[in-house]
Amino acid sequence: ELYTLTTEPELARDVRLLEDVPEILAELAERDDVRVAIASRTSRQQWARKLIKQVRVGDTTLEALCAGRIEIYPGDKRQHLRRLRKRTGVDFGETLFFDDALAGRYGNCERAADLGLLACHTPHGLTRERWRAGLAAFAAGQRGTVVAFHEDDEVLPRPPPTQPQETLPCVSLAMPFAALLLNGVKTLETRNQPIFEALEGQRCLVRVGQKDWADDFWRTLLSDDERATAAALPRNVRRGDIAGLVDVGCTRKSADVAKERGWALVEKETMLSQSGCATFSTAVANPSWFARGFRAKGSPGIYRAQVPASLLSSSAEAPPRRRGQSASTSSSRSAPARVARTGYLRAVAPSSGGGKEATIPPGPPPAVAHTTGG
């Protein structure tokens, strides 16, 4: 969302088209019987219009494809649609509207449907499935209603309930922190309460939240190339999915960690500024993505969630940490231990006489490298 950005974005660096959108736009560009329009409530009008000019659709641009049928300004989406009807002469009964906001204060689909058009809810953005669902409902004559999204509409269906399940602790993180953590970039999770303390040595599920974190400080810690990949979700994972696992390490006061290692390093590992760091920091290690996301409701704090046991065995480790990123300190109550990830996993076992270091080659690590195995 443009409102989450603090500096003017660039296409492909800060903003990119969703995977299925280029194909859909190309399909629209080939049709002479369809008029494409854009209705947006963003307050970043200049940024939005600049990006629209940059999006290529075959031999033309998205701006040219819309041919002046663009309404971008804050307010009620119904106002945008009324102006588009007046400008194009296309009745609401001949209009198909796609939007990711269904209802409530910031909802658009239900409000738009009240005008008599057909609205299609796209909670994860415009996908082939949602595109086809909207076209099918429009061809069937549906009007003045919303083509609702259902979990069963997912291209990757949820496993049958008879499949063995496993219950684990789970935490839901806003974007981009869920991706930064599971991609191995964020190695400290901060909270104002020591909610992870009881989980030390356990695995914890990570759910990708629906919301975006407002602070963009994390961008200043990464290069342009790193930003493009570090905050990205895999193809088979969407917001609202339980997406992977991490091993939970020691929880300490953030100020104590910073006193020992410096705030600059803490900022790199939390992906937060010093002022944004919460009271407690928990080390996380061995992040891994599931082969696909598992749809599940979120909850504040730490909660228990069930996932198919098959997903736990399908998880793939995050790629090596970017060059120059240091390791997180994960210490037991008796003595500090450090877990770092490069091309290898280094484990330092705490002992009264100092840690004994072992180097474990890449690949599925033995149980000793993961406090709970797997």
Side-chain angles (χ1 to χ4, degrees):
E1 298 285 356
L2 288 184
Y3 76 87
T4 66
L5 304 179
T6 56
T7 58
E8 184 173 345
E10 292 185 17
L11 189 66
R13 186 194 72 180
D14 307 299
V15 176
R16 70 182 188 279
L17 294 181
L18 296 175
E19 181 180 359
D20 297 338
V21 168
E23 180 181 323
I24 294 170
L25 290 177
E27 179 181 335
L28 289 168
E30 294 176 356
R31 298 187 59 166
D32 297 328
D33 60 337
V34 174
R35 298 179 186 178
V36 182
I38 293 175
S40 172
R41 299 194 308 175
T42 184
S43 60
R44 311 284 194 180
Q45 297 101 312
Q46 292 184 342
W47 292 0
R49 290 184 179 277
K50 182 177 179 180
L51 290 167
I52 289 169
K53 291 180 180 179
Q54 296 173 357
V55 174
R56 300 296 304 178
V57 183
D59 296 330
T60 187
T61 65
L62 180 56
E63 181 187 49
L65 181 63
C66 293
R69 297 179 292 270
I70 300 175
E71 298 286 327
I72 303 177
Y73 43 83
D76 192 321
K77 191 65 69 82
R78 289 173 295 190
Q79 181 180 4
H80 298 79
L81 294 169
R82 290 188 181 105
R83 289 187 177 182
L84 287 170
R85 180 184 62 173
K86 183 176 181 180
R87 180 174 298 178
T88 63
V90 177
D91 290 337
F92 289 136
E94 295 302 313
T95 301
L96 177 55
F97 172 75
F98 295 86
D99 199 279
D100 64 343
L102 177 61
R105 181 179 178 184
Y106 300 106
N108 295 317
C109 287
E110 291 189 354
R111 286 191 176 93
D114 287 342
L115 297 175
L117 54 75
L118 178 64
C120 184
H121 184 211
T122 61
H124 306 300
L126 187 57
T127 63
R128 290 188 188 92
E129 180 280 320
R130 290 280 79 200
W131 171 244
R132 292 167 183 161
L135 293 180
F138 189 85
Q142 295 186 36
R143 300 294 188 273
T145 188
V146 177
V147 183
F149 173 82
H150 302 288
E151 298 296 342
D152 292 340
D153 293 336
E154 294 279 8
V155 175
L156 295 169
R158 293 179 65 169
T162 55
Q163 183 172 339
Q165 305 282 304
E166 186 164 340
T167 302
L168 291 171
C170 185
V171 62
S172 186
L173 299 180
M175 283 292 287
F177 292 131
L180 291 171
L181 190 148
L182 287 173
N183 281 325
V185 177
K186 177 179 169 66
T187 56
L188 282 177
E189 173 64 16
T190 72
R191 299 291 171 122
N192 283 323
Q193 299 295 327
I195 61 173
F196 290 97
E197 193 169 38
L199 299 182
E200 183 176 352
Q202 298 183 42
R203 292 180 298 175
C204 184
L205 299 167
V206 178
R207 178 182 178 273
V208 183
Q210 298 282 4
K211 296 182 179 180
D212 291 307
W213 189 257
D215 187 357
D216 266 357
F217 177 80
W218 66 275
R219 292 178 177 273
T220 68
L221 302 174
L222 302 172
S223 68
D224 291 346
D225 291 340
E226 289 170 337
R227 281 197 294 267
T229 56
L233 298 175
R235 179 177 180 178
N236 293 340
V237 172
R238 297 175 177 176
R239 292 176 186 245
D241 287 349
I242 295 177
L245 285 165
V246 293
D247 288 347
V248 179
C250 172
T251 296
R252 304 171 62 196
K253 287 189 175 181
S254 300
D256 292 342
V257 179
K259 183 178 180 180
E260 177 183 308
R261 307 170 60 208
W263 274 111
L265 193 56
V266 173
E267 288 180 338
K268 288 181 179 179
E269 297 185 347
T270 61
M271 291 282 111
L272 291 166
S273 65
Q274 178 178 346
S275 60
C277 285
T279 306
F280 295 91
S281 289
T282 300
V284 292
N286 307 318
S288 59
W289 290 100
F290 290 155
R292 60 176 177 77
F294 180 74
R295 205 80 188 145
K297 290 184 178 180
S299 184
I302 303 294
Y303 61 101
R304 306 287 291 181
Q306 274 194 340
V307 295
S310 60
L311 285 182
L312 303 182
S313 60
S314 74
S315 59
E317 291 187 358
R321 184 176 288 114
R322 67 185 189 278
R323 182 176 300 176
Q325 181 178 350
S326 66
S328 297
T329 295
S330 175
S331 59
S332 70
R333 291 181 176 86
S334 57
R338 176 166 295 181
V339 178
R341 183 185 293 275
T342 53
Y344 289 77
L345 177 67
R346 287 187 175 275
V348 181
S351 66
S352 58
K356 183 177 181 181
E357 183 172 350
T359 301
I360 303 167
V368 69
H370 292 249
T371 53
T372 57

